[in-house]
Amino acid sequence: MAFSAYGSSFTTGSGSILGEITNISFGGITATQIDVTALTDTDKKYVVGFAEGGTITVTCFTTAAVPSLPTSGNSSPTSFVITFGSAGAGRPIATFTAYLQNTVVEAAVDQAVTTTYTLRISGTVVFTATAS
């Protein structure tokens, strides 16, 4: 059953909330394909290599409160938690570590100022569900 994105939250491992979020997007989660075709084979053969975590892009309204995010170039990844949907059992939760890869602030005529953070995932994204 589908659920609304309303009430979704994005926090650091320390519990700091990242702004007034307008969009969360996962991208580039893939696995390496290793070609193991021999010259005597009649068809291509592959095995799966390491998983690639990809990136997560978070866009939020820019506010006076500065989010507690790692600085670009930080040598240690930071833990993050995304809880999808509003209160209730069974909401998906994504937990992962990532580096801050890119920050973009946008200001346009008749628009709210937004900041988009691109996080490079380091390791595995673990999905669980809320208990209540």
Side-chain angles (χ1 to χ4, degrees), residues 76-120:
S76 298
T78 300
S79 60
F80 295 94
V81 177
I82 299 173
T83 304
F84 294 96
S86 58
R91 296 183 302 153
I93 299 172
T95 305
F96 58 95
T97 57
Y99 296 91
L100 179 61
Q101 184 177 24
N102 191 25
T103 303
V104 176
V105 177
E106 294 185 71
V109 175
D110 289 336
Q111 298 293 317
V113 178
T114 60
T115 303
T116 300
Y117 300 98
T118 302
L119 303 167
R120 180 76 163 120

Side-chain angles (χ1 to χ4, degrees), residues 19-22 59-63 112-115:
E20 299 173 359
I21 299 168
T22 61
T59 302
C60 59
F61 292 122
T62 305
T63 63
V113 178
T114 60
T115 303

Side-chain angles (χ1 to χ4, degrees), residues 55-81:
T55 59
I56 293 178
T57 302
V58 179
T59 302
C60 59
F61 292 122
T62 305
T63 63
V66 177
S68 175
L69 282 175
T71 55
S72 294
N74 190 344
S75 62
S76 298
T78 300
S79 60
F80 295 94
V81 177

Side-chain angles (χ1 to χ4, degrees), residues 17-74:
I17 294 176
L18 178 65
E20 299 173 359
I21 299 168
T22 61
N23 186 40
I24 300 171
S25 176
F26 284 82
I29 300 172
T30 62
T32 304
Q33 295 179 22
I34 302 168
D35 187 339
V36 293
T37 308
L39 292 175
T40 56
D41 290 334
T42 57
D43 297 308
K44 293 283 261 180
K45 295 179 183 175
Y46 298 92
V47 295
V48 177
F50 288 109
E52 173 69 45
T55 59
I56 293 178
T57 302
V58 179
T59 302
C60 59
F61 292 122
T62 305
T63 63
V66 177
S68 175
L69 282 175
T71 55
S72 294
N74 190 344

